[in-house]
Amino acid sequence: MVSSRFVIRKVIPVVLFLICIILLSQHLPVDVRGITPDNTANAIEVFEPSVVTRYPQDDQVQYWVNHVARNIRYSGEKDNFVFIKCMKCATQTVGDVLRRYAFTRRLNVLLPRDNNIYLGWPYLMHEMDFRPSEEKFNCLIEHSVYNRTITEPLFPSDTQYITIIREPWSHFKSTFHYFRVDKITDIKAKDPVVEFLKNRKKYDSLYKSHESYPYRYCIPDGFSVTRNLLSHCLGMPLGFPKNRTDISNNEALVNKYIKKLDREFGLVMIMEYFDESMIFLKRLMRWSFKDIVYEIVNVGNYSHDQYPKYIRDIHKMWSSMDYKLYDHFRKKMELEIRNGGPAFQAEIKKFKAILQQVNRFCMSVKRSSRLNAKLDVEDFTFTGYECAFMSEDVNRLDLLQKRNNEELTENLKSYKRTC
């Protein structure tokens, strides 16, 4: 039988020591606990005593300029780009990366007029949609319909054109729910997606009708959000608005247009290869890993396999331009990934490790509100202020517009077509 003296002298101290170790480990920053040899090398987190719990309401532009603006430029990094956003294709994530780059480098951004969020979308952009500039613009990030004739005179000759697209079936389901198609068309079926596709012309007509206009957000009469939306955003003439040509029934013209896009775009990102696409973006623009890190957030998940094949075949016929477009550029990206070989795979692995490390660090900053914290990882430092600026809580478009407001030398006429 173990004596009480033995328990007091030997067992209890050991138990107390183990409890202390466990408690201390739980209070270590997530980033420190998460470092492994396979993760990013030499990651060091430093906390300074200052704690900032909220951002100033006044002069937010100057606040962020003071804390995140870049004073040092990397040799060779490129500033000139046009990003064509296709709805519900992770464009918010990519757009936030690009806005962050534009803000920290103080680029001349082509911005919507007033506090609008679109550059004329889903119409072709008009000069009244954007704020004027005496100099050529560096970049375009907000929603617009691609048209090289319109944008080319506004940007330098070395401007890169970039976009991101998504597998059409998952894209359709996402836009269907996002634009509340079932609610606006009053579909009562157990599965609104199936009901819509079985009677697609009926419901599409109801959605586009003028009677539905008060319930649609930013969508004009006559525009379909369920049919060939990717192709429309990339400028393919599909009959909207009414005075525009429709090439959808001419396979030769459709194929010719896709080849034209292939020549004119420096990068067509694929949502299903998101991190690979970000590496291609980094290479194209000669940016650093720090420039392409992004906040990982939860996204909607619409399963591919819960619908019978005949339903998906109906959608493939309904939105056939998008399938042609996606198949072309997905195959192109898969070929480029294969051609990248081990070097590309190593770069992807490194990026994923950096991304994980930065996101863990930012979570710990968010919990502690210590914006002065710093993370040294690979060849850059990431601060708590940069975590805050990267988060979805900060409206970077609003900051860019406010900064532009301060620089305007004339009162601009208000103009609004959609949003």
Side-chain angles (χ1 to χ4, degrees):
M1 184 173 181
V2 180
S3 68
S4 59
R5 180 178 296 178
F6 177 81
V7 171
I8 294 171
R9 295 182 59 187
K10 300 292 185 180
V11 177
I12 291 179
V14 171
V15 172
L16 290 173
F17 175 77
L18 291 174
I19 291 172
C20 289
I21 293 296
I22 293 170
L23 290 174
L24 284 171
S25 68
Q26 291 302 309
H27 284 81
L28 281 172
V30 175
D31 315 272
V32 175
R33 286 185 274 127
I35 296 172
T36 68
D38 292 331
N39 211 325
T40 47
N42 303 319
I44 302 172
E45 184 178 355
V46 179
F47 280 100
E48 296 179 8
S50 170
V51 176
V52 181
T53 57
R54 59 182 179 179
Y55 317 132
Q57 295 303 308
D58 298 326
D59 204 4
Q60 293 184 19
V61 172
Q62 190 58 48
Y63 173 83
W64 289 115
V65 167
N66 292 340
H67 291 294
V68 302
R70 293 290 295 274
N71 297 318
I72 300 174
R73 304 296 302 273
Y74 289 115
S75 176
E77 66 182 33
K78 298 179 181 180
D79 291 339
N80 304 322
F81 59 86
V82 168
F83 178 53
I84 300 299
K85 297 173 72 173
C86 294
M87 286 286 185
K88 305 306 292 177
C89 294
T91 49
Q92 186 62 29
T93 302
V94 181
D96 281 343
V97 167
L98 299 179
R99 291 187 198 101
R100 190 174 78 231
Y101 184 91
F103 185 88
T104 59
R105 268 58 170 202
R106 200 174 181 82
L107 301 185
N108 185 14
V109 185
L110 191 152
L111 293 166
R113 197 170 289 239
D114 301 323
N115 292 319
N116 298 343
I117 60 174
Y118 295 163
L119 289 162
W121 187 95
Y123 300 100
L124 290 176
M125 187 172 67
H126 184 274
E127 64 179 6
M128 288 298 292
D129 290 310
F130 60 87
R131 302 166 181 223
S133 170
E134 294 181 359
E135 305 294 331
K136 290 202 172 188
F137 294 100
N138 293 119
C139 54
L140 181 157
I141 303 170
E142 307 315 317
H143 282 289
S144 65
V145 175
Y146 175 66
N147 185 286
R148 193 65 169 253
T149 303
I150 295 172
T151 55
E152 198 159 39
L154 303 173
F155 292 87
S157 58
D158 64 348
T159 298
Q160 292 288 350
Y161 285 75
I162 302 160
T163 190
I164 181 168
I165 58 176
R166 178 180 183 179
E167 191 278 320
W169 173 245
S170 65
H171 181 246
F172 161 69
K173 287 184 289 180
S174 182
T175 55
F176 184 88
H177 293 288
Y178 178 76
F179 288 112
R180 301 171 58 246
V181 175
D182 55 333
K183 303 294 190 299
I184 291 172
T185 58
D186 197 30
I187 296 177
K188 301 295 187 183
K190 181 179 179 180
D191 193 323
V193 169
V194 171
E195 173 63 19
F196 176 87
L197 288 172
K198 285 182 175 180
N199 299 279
R200 52 203 174 279
K201 292 184 179 179
K202 167 189 169 183
Y203 291 117
D204 194 50
S205 179
L206 283 172
Y207 186 86
K208 297 187 298 184
S209 69
H210 186 67
E211 288 72 22
S212 298
Y213 180 78
Y215 310 104
R216 297 192 307 261
Y217 179 67
C218 302
I219 305 298
D221 292 349
F223 183 70
S224 175
V225 297
T226 63
R227 190 177 194 188
N228 294 315
L229 185 57
L230 298 174
S231 301
H232 173 81
C233 292
L234 289 179
M236 189 179 293
L238 299 174
F240 179 88
K242 286 184 178 180
N243 59 349
R244 200 162 186 228
T245 304
D246 183 359
I247 67 169
S248 58
N249 292 319
N250 190 321
E251 186 175 2
L253 288 180
V254 170
N255 292 335
K256 183 179 179 181
Y257 189 84
I258 292 173
K259 290 178 181 178
K260 175 177 177 287
L261 292 176
D262 201 343
R263 291 193 306 271
E264 294 180 350
F265 273 76
L267 174 62
V268 176
M269 304 169 72
I270 302 295
M271 183 173 153
E272 287 72 23
Y273 289 106
F274 189 78
D275 286 342
E276 290 85 351
S277 294
M278 295 301 286
I279 292 298
F280 285 126
L281 173 65
K282 169 182 171 289
R283 290 182 171 189
L284 177 70
M285 302 304 295
R286 298 182 183 176
W287 292 351
S288 69
F289 281 113
K290 182 176 182 176
D291 296 320
I292 63 168
V293 294
Y294 60 90
E295 184 181 32
I296 300 172
V297 295
N298 293 326
V299 295
N301 181 26
Y302 305 105
S303 173
H304 281 217
D305 56 6
Q306 61 182 328
Y307 292 93
K309 183 178 180 298
Y310 83 93
I311 290 295
R312 295 187 59 175
D313 287 342
I314 291 173
H315 178 255
K316 192 168 185 177
M317 289 186 294
W318 175 245
S319 210
S320 60
M321 306 304 107
D322 280 2
Y323 280 88
K324 285 178 178 289
L325 181 78
Y326 178 79
D327 288 347
H328 175 89
F329 286 106
R330 176 168 181 146
K331 288 175 183 177
K332 180 178 180 179
M333 175 158 286
E334 289 174 341
L335 177 61
E336 290 174 346
I337 291 171
R338 289 196 299 271
N339 290 342
F344 183 79
Q345 294 305 318
E347 194 170 2
I348 283 291
K349 183 178 180 181
K350 183 177 179 180
F351 177 52
K352 288 179 182 292
I354 290 172
L355 195 61
Q356 183 184 51
Q357 189 66 32
V358 169
N359 272 264
R360 285 180 173 176
F361 167 69
C362 289
M363 282 192 293
S364 70
V365 168
K366 191 171 185 178
R367 287 195 298 269
S368 66
S369 298
R370 296 180 183 270
L371 299 185
N372 284 328
K374 295 178 182 179
L375 175 73
D376 290 326
V377 54
E378 290 296 333
D379 59 349
F380 66 86
T381 298
F382 211 81
T383 70
Y385 287 102
E386 289 172 311
C387 286
F389 192 67
M390 181 175 71
S391 78
E392 59 183 359
D393 298 330
V394 176
N395 188 333
R396 282 156 292 271
L397 170 58
D398 182 59
L399 289 173
L400 289 168
Q401 289 175 321
K402 284 179 178 177
R403 183 162 71 183
N404 185 258
N405 288 341
E406 296 170 0
E407 298 170 349
L408 289 175
T409 58
E410 60 177 302
N411 292 324
L412 299 180
K413 181 180 178 181
S414 294
Y415 185 72
K416 191 180 185 74
R417 283 198 286 175
T418 50
C419 281

